């Protein structure tokens, strides 16, 4: 290894030390910290991120990168690490301190205002500060630069290489195919899922969730599970990846599919190469690819009949009074209801994408200036009516439901749908390449699927672009047809739809 490359990896590892130390503090804040710890914790986090920012804009790093970018002796992985670090370095250099301070000040005010607006169930309380956030996001798009649409600059931070045009096309496909499909389903006799909303003991649920993780192949020597209000996955390196779940004693769905979802995220990070600590090749590729791993376990595996052939008996044993008399058929139909609803996070795997599409259309319009924040509530409510056929009763169940905009997270939402579509495409290839997959899952054996994901997706970190990785794995870039085929096959059977009616 050249001296320069070695110095470069040392520098990046040091930045990562600071970021991971911040992650530990964040994790503690969500899982353990007493209420009064908040103020000084915020200080500690700000100090760490300040030092990390200094190191990542250090001119010494810039000089190293200039040398390394010309170094032909590097291998593919090393070249990718230099390329990605250079992109990050150049990006960090574009932000001046005033802008960073202003954005952090405005978003922390916005977070408070969003909380207050939710308490009062009134969007007007949030609107004035949201206007400031949108202004800053427009500025940020100019700072970062873009070819066609200001929104491109923001998406690119989360899903490199994806443009507004790509997502326009994706949601044009969603509209063209999913709207009619959901209508056809709604016209059929509906299944019941009321048995999922009985009393389910907290501790019994927690124990069951640990079994779910073990079966997936999650290694408790490299992680742990705790409880938090908003479930998440965090890593302090690829050998300490922690998850949280949420338990609702009146709705067992939350524990089951949150655990599968976060477990999928965690397996991805556990599959990254620990030797590439702090380097792009040891980090996740994009939010869309990350979400593809969580959605694949949550939906393609965890809402599949074969998975429950292996696991329903143990769930019935854990909750004999609640589920003992419910057949596997009824259970399977109940966990796969397709029903338009108000809240994105509780949506089924088909109508979910309308929720994302609505947010994308709104973000794009705000960024380009064709929509004003003061008209946001009306536009939101109209779109829910148009795409999902439901009336929004109030702001908490409408425009105030997600925290993303208060955080300044514009450009993030589309990665949720992109992730589900990648998941369907990857899973389709996995099924072809592992002929026994269904039988294995039906016996509770997830090991070959995990090996396949490790080899094809996890180990590559950020060496390839999302489109390159997807092409290597499936033979083509992201293609919505795979999700549609999966959804048609599964839900036509569940709702007894004739092929011609679909
Ligand atoms: Co996720």
């Amino acid at each position: 290894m050249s001296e320069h490359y070695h110095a470069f990896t040392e520098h990046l590892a040091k930045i990562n030390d600071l970021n991971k130390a911040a992650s530990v503090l964040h994790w503690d804040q969500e899982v353990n910290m007493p209420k009064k710890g908040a103020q000084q914790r915020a200080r500690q986090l700000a100090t760490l991120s300040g030092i990390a920012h200094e190191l990542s804009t250090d001119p010494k790093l810039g000089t190293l990168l200039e040398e390394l970018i010309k170094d032909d002796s590097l291998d593919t992985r090393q070249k990718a690490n230099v390329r990605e670090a250079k992109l990050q370095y150049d990006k960090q250099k574009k932000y001046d301190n005033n802008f960073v301070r202003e954005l952090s000040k405005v978003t922390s005010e916005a977070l408070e205002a969003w909380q207050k607006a939710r308490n009062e169930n009134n969007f007007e309380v949030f609107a004035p500060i949201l206007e400031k956030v949108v202004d800053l996001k427009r500025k940020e798009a100019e700072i970062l630069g873009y070819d066609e649409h200001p929104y491109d600059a923001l998406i690119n931070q989360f899903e490199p290489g994806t443009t507004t045009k790509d997502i326009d096309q994706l949601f044009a496909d969603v509209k063209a195919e999913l709207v009619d499909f959901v209508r056809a389903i709604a016209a059929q006799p509906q299944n019941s899922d009321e048995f999922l909303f009985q009393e389910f003991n907290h501790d019994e649920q927690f124990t069951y969730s640990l079994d779910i993780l073990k079966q997936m192949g999650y290694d408790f020597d490299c992680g742990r599970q705790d409880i938090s209000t908003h479930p998440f996955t965090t890593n302090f390196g690829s050998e300490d990846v922690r998850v949280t779940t949420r338990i609702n004693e009146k709705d067992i769905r939350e524990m089951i599919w949150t655990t599968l979802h976060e477990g999928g995220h965690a397996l991805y990070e556990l599959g990254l190469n620990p030797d590439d600590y702090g380097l792009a090749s040891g980090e996740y590729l994009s939010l869309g690819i990350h979400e593809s791993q969580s959605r694949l376990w949550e939906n393609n595996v965890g809402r599949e009949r074969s998975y429950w052939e292996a696991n329903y008996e143990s769930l019935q044993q854990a909750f004999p009074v609640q589920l003992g008399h419910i057949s596997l058929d009824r259970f399977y139909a109940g966990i796969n209801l397709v029903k338009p609803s108000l809240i994105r996070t509780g949506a089924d795997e088909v109508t979910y994408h309308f929720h994302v599409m609505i947010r994308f259309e709104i973000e794009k319009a705000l960024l380009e200036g064709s929509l004003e924040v003061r008209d946001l509530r009306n536009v939101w409510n109209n779109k829910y009516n148009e795409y999902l056929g439901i009336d929004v009763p109030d702001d908490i169940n409408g425009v105030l439901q997600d925290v993303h905009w208060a955080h300044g997270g514009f450009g993030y939402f589309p990665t949720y749908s992109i992730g589900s579509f990648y998941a369907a495409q990857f899973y389709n290839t996995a099924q072809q390449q592992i002929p026994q997959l269904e039988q294995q899952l039906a016996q509770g054996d997830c090991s070959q699927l995990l090996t396949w994901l490790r080899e094809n997706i996890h180990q590559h970190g950020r060496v390839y672009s999302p489109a390159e990785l997807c092409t290597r794995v499936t033979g083509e870039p992201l293609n919505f047809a795979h999700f549609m085929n999966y959804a048609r096959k599964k839900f036509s059977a569940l709702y007894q739809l004739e092929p011609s009616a679909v």
Side-chain angles (χ1 to χ4, degrees):
M1 198 193 300
S2 80
E3 207 178 297
H4 281 144
Y5 190 78
H6 181 71
F8 158 75
T9 58
E10 287 294 307
H11 193 98
L12 260 60
K14 214 180 252 182
I15 297 172
N16 208 35
D17 290 339
L18 290 159
N19 290 333
K20 295 308 171 192
S23 298
V24 179
L25 293 184
H26 263 298
W27 172 82
D28 174 76
Q29 182 170 350
E30 299 292 324
V31 172
N32 295 316
M33 192 183 74
K35 216 155 102 196
K36 288 193 172 170
Q39 214 169 358
Q40 284 169 346
R41 180 57 51 88
R43 216 203 110 86
Q44 294 149 1
L45 283 166
T47 298
L48 283 176
S49 85
I51 303 173
H53 182 75
E54 270 167 36
L55 277 181
S56 52
T57 51
D58 186 343
K60 266 191 274 175
L61 176 61
T63 315
L64 272 176
L65 286 167
E66 289 304 331
E67 291 294 328
L68 287 166
I69 211 100
K70 296 179 294 199
D71 187 345
D72 283 331
S73 69
L74 301 179
D75 65 25
T76 314
R77 230 172 152 84
Q78 294 171 327
K79 278 195 179 130
N81 288 333
V82 172
R83 177 196 72 215
E84 291 298 308
K86 179 98 173 71
L87 280 174
Q88 280 305 317
Y89 180 79
D90 291 344
K91 191 182 125 188
Q92 295 280 345
K93 282 280 185 191
K94 287 180 180 172
Y95 291 99
D96 70 70
N97 281 340
N98 288 338
F99 180 82
V100 175
R101 261 199 299 274
E102 177 74 1
L103 186 63
S104 125
K105 187 173 145 269
V106 168
T107 49
S108 72
E109 282 170 31
L111 205 57
E112 235 169 274
W114 176 75
Q115 217 33 281
K116 188 161 182 273
R118 278 176 64 88
N119 291 341
E120 296 174 26
N121 201 355
N122 183 4
F123 175 67
E124 314 286 329
V125 175
F126 181 48
I129 189 83
L130 181 58
E131 245 168 66
K132 286 191 195 165
V133 176
V134 171
D135 276 345
L136 285 169
K137 286 285 136 178
R138 283 204 197 116
K139 257 186 217 154
E140 190 174 14
E142 298 304 322
I143 290 171
L144 291 167
Y146 54 85
D147 287 335
E148 288 186 12
H149 195 288
Y151 195 66
D152 289 345
L154 303 184
I155 301 168
N156 201 47
Q157 295 179 287
F158 305 116
E159 203 57 30
T162 296
T163 62
T164 311
K165 222 188 218 164
D166 297 330
I167 302 175
D168 277 335
Q169 183 54 52
L170 211 52
F171 284 121
D173 292 342
V174 168
K175 265 190 234 179
E177 308 225 27
L178 272 190
V179 173
D180 287 345
F181 187 54
V182 170
R183 280 201 192 119
I185 288 174
Q188 292 299 101
Q190 297 301 303
N191 300 313
S192 157
D193 65 350
E194 61 197 15
F195 51 85
L196 299 167
F197 308 97
Q198 306 173 69
E199 198 72 34
F200 294 93
N201 175 273
H202 180 282
D203 294 352
E204 305 265 341
Q205 285 201 55
F206 191 78
T207 306
Y208 195 83
S209 71
L210 298 177
D211 290 338
I212 291 179
L213 289 171
K214 272 179 218 150
Q215 191 186 54
M216 292 168 78
Y218 179 84
D219 179 357
F220 280 89
D221 286 336
C222 295
R224 51 180 286 129
Q225 178 179 254
D226 294 272
I227 298 284
S228 69
T229 327
H230 303 287
F232 66 98
T233 302
T234 187
N235 84 71
F236 314 142
S238 65
E239 289 172 318
D240 185 354
V241 180
R242 305 187 187 186
V243 290
T244 68
T245 192
R246 177 168 55 197
I247 287 174
N248 181 339
E249 291 199 288
K250 298 197 165 17
D251 179 355
I252 198 172
R253 297 176 310 166
E254 288 192 15
M255 175 278 288
I256 296 175
W257 286 282
T258 295
T259 304
L260 284 157
H261 184 98
E262 299 307 328
H265 279 306
L267 290 175
Y268 182 20
E269 299 198 338
L270 287 164
L272 297 167
N273 188 344
D275 296 336
D276 292 352
Y277 181 80
L279 301 171
S281 56
E283 275 167 8
Y284 75 89
L285 175 50
S286 70
L287 287 188
I289 297 296
H290 221 314
E291 193 71 3
S292 79
Q293 299 308 291
S294 57
R295 299 291 277 183
L296 185 142
W297 287 96
E298 177 190 356
N299 292 331
N300 303 85
V301 174
R303 286 184 213 273
E304 202 43 75
R305 210 192 143 89
S306 52
Y307 177 84
W308 286 105
E309 275 170 24
N311 293 303
Y312 190 50
E313 220 178 277
S314 69
L315 189 68
Q316 282 180 311
Q317 275 161 10
F319 303 102
V321 179
Q322 297 88 332
L323 298 174
H325 60 292
I326 305 291
S327 69
L328 174 58
D329 280 337
R330 277 187 66 196
F331 179 77
Y332 174 62
I335 65 171
N336 281 300
L337 292 199
V338 174
K339 200 160 76 184
S341 60
L342 287 163
I343 305 290
R344 174 184 61 85
T345 54
D348 62 77
E349 60 180 311
V350 180
T351 62
Y352 185 78
H353 301 293
F354 297 133
H355 295 265
V356 177
M357 179 169 74
I358 288 168
R359 286 151 180 80
F360 164 66
E361 290 181 355
I362 287 175
E363 288 188 343
K364 191 180 134 195
L366 285 172
L367 256 286
E368 66 192 20
S370 61
L371 168 65
E372 295 295 330
V373 168
R374 62 171 173 274
D375 300 323
L376 190 49
R377 176 201 278 148
N378 272 342
V379 169
W380 179 287
N381 295 354
N382 289 339
K383 284 185 188 290
Y384 266 78
N385 200 294
E386 185 188 343
Y387 297 136
L388 287 148
I390 49 178
D391 291 323
V392 178
D394 56 11
D395 294 341
I396 267 217
N397 288 294
V399 67
L400 286 177
Q401 66 181 268
D402 303 299
V403 70
H404 301 57
W405 292 339
H407 277 311
F410 284 77
Y412 194 116
F413 281 117
T415 67
Y416 290 135
S417 284
I418 289 173
S420 302
F421 303 155
Y422 271 131
Q425 191 163 338
F426 290 147
Y427 198 71
N428 178 54
T429 303
Q431 283 176 311
Q432 286 164 13
Q433 295 179 359
I434 313 172
Q436 302 300 312
L437 182 57
E438 296 307 307
Q439 290 91 314
Q440 289 169 2
L441 292 179
Q443 286 159 11
D445 176 7
C446 304
S447 60
Q448 208 181 339
L449 176 62
L450 179 56
T451 303
W452 187 90
L453 293 169
R454 289 252 192 275
E455 277 169 11
N456 286 284
I457 296 160
H458 303 172
Q459 63 154 331
H460 298 300
R462 212 187 315 138
V463 171
Y464 309 109
S465 72
E468 283 166 353
L469 181 80
C470 188
T471 306
R472 284 174 67 97
V473 179
T474 70
E476 57 178 335
L478 184 62
N479 179 354
F480 175 71
H482 295 289
F483 176 81
M484 214 44 229
N485 290 342
Y486 157 77
R488 273 190 212 289
K489 192 167 163 236
K490 175 171 171 181
F491 294 100
S492 298
L494 271 160
Y495 283 90
Q496 285 112 39
L497 286 169
E498 296 296 325
S500 61
V502 198

